Amino acid sequence: MKFLDVPELAQMSRNLTHTSGGHKARTVIETYSCKPGSDKKLYRSIESAYSSLAQSPIYESSVLATSPFGPMSERPARRNFSFLVATLNAVFPDYDFQEVQVTTFRRISLSMAESRINTGLASALPAFSPDARTKFWTLLDQQIRLYDCEIYEFAPEPDADPFAEDGSRWSLKIFFLNSKLSRVLFFSTACFYRSGSHAGPSSLGEFRPTSLMDMDSSEEEDDYMSDEGEWQDASELDFAMDL
């Protein structure tokens, strides 16, 4: 995976990182090209491991046959899984995610991703206004073409979560994978207690990620389009939000 330097995303990440009282919200938004680089060894390892498992007699009754990426006996499923693992390794270089399991990821819809991200950011950032929300989704659409993406959430156990060691109250880690562009956009936001602060009620960070099984799949998508039905041009927007 190759990191793509997009100044607008770096600025948006800074705008959505905020400290208030004893809490801090930290956001990272980065894009990566899926073109092979130093990840070739990882790709070969995943390809070999999962193609071999697909030949197992118990494959059809295992989670691998119905993974979030599709049947792992199929190469596109293994390829997309490897893209997300490689992205995690790039975003969190101090960790090695080679042993992460396909069940650690969940496939979600765009409307669900929008709902979870909007709720989390609004909870952690009081200044995440409707206008700021529109700017945020417009920028993401320009970078990754949201409606062409497969979207996944990384939901590891606490002992495998990079944010857990930093004492996060909650975190979201969502991938927007556009195979046509051969690109991944990674979004993460987390709410932390600042060093020396005491746990307790606060206006910052009351959001709690819920199980996807508990969410209403019929939830309608928010409309971030202009009156003409087109996404607004980010060049016309002011990304210097006062957070």
Side-chain angles (χ1 to χ4, degrees):
M1 306 294 286
K2 179 181 179 182
F3 173 71
L4 302 176
D5 186 12
V6 182
E8 294 87 351
L9 290 180
Q11 181 62 55
M12 181 65 76
S13 297
R14 289 190 292 270
N15 290 342
L16 297 178
T17 295
H18 178 63
T19 300
S20 176
H23 302 79
K24 179 177 181 178
R26 186 173 71 201
T27 299
V28 174
I29 313 170
E30 296 180 348
T31 53
Y32 291 84
S33 167
C34 297
K35 295 180 179 180
S38 59
D39 311 292
K40 290 182 179 179
K41 183 178 179 180
L42 171 66
Y43 296 154
R44 287 195 295 267
S45 175
I46 290 176
E47 177 68 20
S48 175
Y50 282 92
S51 59
S52 297
L53 287 171
Q55 306 303 318
S56 168
I58 63 172
Y59 168 77
E60 293 298 336
S61 61
S62 72
V63 295
L64 298 180
T66 57
S67 82
F69 304 92
M72 293 302 287
S73 59
E74 299 180 1
R75 190 168 186 178
R78 300 193 295 270
R79 178 198 62 202
N80 289 348
F81 172 59
S82 67
F83 287 160
L84 301 199
V85 175
T87 300
L88 284 171
N89 282 336
V91 175
F92 303 104
D94 294 333
Y95 295 82
D96 183 359
F97 293 90
Q98 184 167 334
E99 301 301 322
V100 72
Q101 302 298 306
V102 294
T103 51
T104 308
F105 295 91
R106 299 166 177 167
R107 177 88 179 261
I108 61 176
S109 66
L110 176 57
S111 61
M112 188 175 289
E114 288 175 337
S115 176
R116 291 173 70 70
I117 291 174
N118 288 341
T119 301
L121 289 177
S123 173
L125 300 163
F128 192 62
S129 63
D131 180 58
R133 184 176 67 179
T134 299
K135 295 174 181 178
F136 171 84
W137 288 106
T138 298
L139 178 59
L140 261 62
D141 185 63
Q142 289 184 327
Q143 296 301 320
I144 202 67
R145 299 178 187 171
L146 293 169
Y147 288 100
D148 291 334
C149 289
E150 294 179 17
I151 306 172
Y152 299 90
E153 180 175 9
F154 181 58
E157 295 298 325
D159 59 355
D161 189 343
F163 287 123
E165 294 185 6
D166 294 333
S168 66
R169 298 184 63 187
W170 56 261
S171 65
L172 286 174
K173 294 165 284 293
I174 296 179
F175 302 80
F176 298 84
L177 170 61
N178 189 320
S179 297
K180 295 179 181 178
L181 296 178
S182 191
R183 181 180 298 183
V184 174
L185 185 145
F186 175 75
F187 168 89
S188 72
T189 190
C191 184
F192 302 85
Y193 288 117
R194 294 181 65 195
S195 177
S197 66
H198 299 285
S202 168
S203 60
L204 177 63
E206 296 305 316
F207 169 68
R208 293 290 186 276
T210 57
S211 167
L212 295 180
M213 298 301 293
D214 298 331
M215 300 188 72
D216 184 0
S217 61
S218 64
E219 189 173 13
E220 295 183 359
E221 296 182 11
D222 289 333
D223 183 9
Y224 303 111
M225 296 186 180
S226 66
D227 293 338
E228 291 75 24
E230 299 293 336
W231 289 89
Q232 300 178 51
D233 185 351
S235 64
E236 300 174 359
L237 300 172
D238 176 16
F239 288 100
M241 294 180 290
D242 295 324
L243 296 179

